């Protein structure tokens, strides 16, 4: 059994969380010609949980193919994807500052879901899990939203915010997995890796 895994994610938070639970890992990032963003396209009428699980599976397929193409040593490959949902509306990464302001304005004063899917593949064996958390934002003035977006923190974040950053001042209540909201649910991830023989 390998003593490390490949993490197919550019998120420094996911890497930090794996390190936190003692999992040695190497990054397996997309090649320049790979269109990783295209994998995140939402299908019409797609439910948030189905969406995030499908996207995670597609990312894992791409990562496993990448591993073979590069001829790297065999080891488990882990992928994760996070989405924010208010009702059936899916909030991905904002396209620009106006988009981030719109998202935060719609989430303000409401409770939304944060869904993070995790999938790991070793050989032909694929294991999956889903973390479903609730986050309640306080009411936000346009000025607070503008200031937060100007900080640059919403860039590249599902729902246009980072729970571990400045947005913590917006959050009245959390139910579920804090690490899942960050982008990698530690409880579920550790359970999957233990099934492959890792000690977390």
């Amino acid at each position: 059994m390998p003593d490390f895994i490949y993490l197919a994610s550019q998120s420094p938070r996911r890497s930090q969380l794996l390190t936190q639970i003692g999992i040695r890992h190497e990054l397996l990032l997309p090649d320049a010609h790979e269109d990783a963003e295209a994998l995140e396209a939402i299908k019409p009428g797609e439910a948030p949980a189905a969406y995030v699980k499908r996207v995670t599976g597609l990312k894992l397929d791409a990562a496993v193919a990448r591993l073979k193409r590069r001829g790297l040593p065999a080891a488990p490959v882990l992928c994760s994807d996070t989405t924010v949902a208010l009702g059936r509306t899916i909030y991905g990464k904002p396209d620009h500052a106006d988009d981030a302001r719109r998202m935060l304005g719609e989430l303000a004063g409401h409770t939304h879901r944060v869904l993070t899917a995790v999938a790991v593949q070793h050989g032909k064996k694929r294991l999956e899990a889903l973390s479903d958390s609730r986050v309640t934002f306080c009411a936000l003035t346009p000025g607070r939203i503008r200031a937060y977006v100007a900080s640059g923190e919403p860039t590249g974040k599902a729902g246009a915010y980072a729970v571990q950053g400045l947005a913590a001042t917006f959050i009245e209540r959390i139910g579920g997995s804090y690490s899942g909201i960050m982008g990698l649910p530690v409880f579920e991830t550790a359970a999957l890796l233990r099934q492959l023989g890792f000690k977390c």
Side-chain angles (χ1 to χ4, degrees), residues 6 18 59-60 114 134 146 159 164 169 172 182 197 199:
Y6 291 105
L18 283 175
K59 288 184 175 182
L60 185 52
V114 181
R134 301 287 189 280
R146 278 196 305 274
Q164 74 280 11
T169 62
E172 289 183 359
M182 281 179 69
K199 292 179 180 177

Side-chain angles (χ1 to χ4, degrees), residues 135-178:
V135 178
T136 303
F137 272 11
C138 65
L140 295 171
T141 63
R144 279 187 79 184
I145 291 173
R146 278 196 305 274
Y148 179 61
V149 173
S151 76
E153 192 173 273
T155 304
K157 309 290 193 309
Y161 77 94
V163 66
Q164 74 280 11
L166 301 171
T169 62
F170 306 159
I171 297 170
E172 289 183 359
R173 193 174 305 110
I174 285 175
S177 168
Y178 183 82

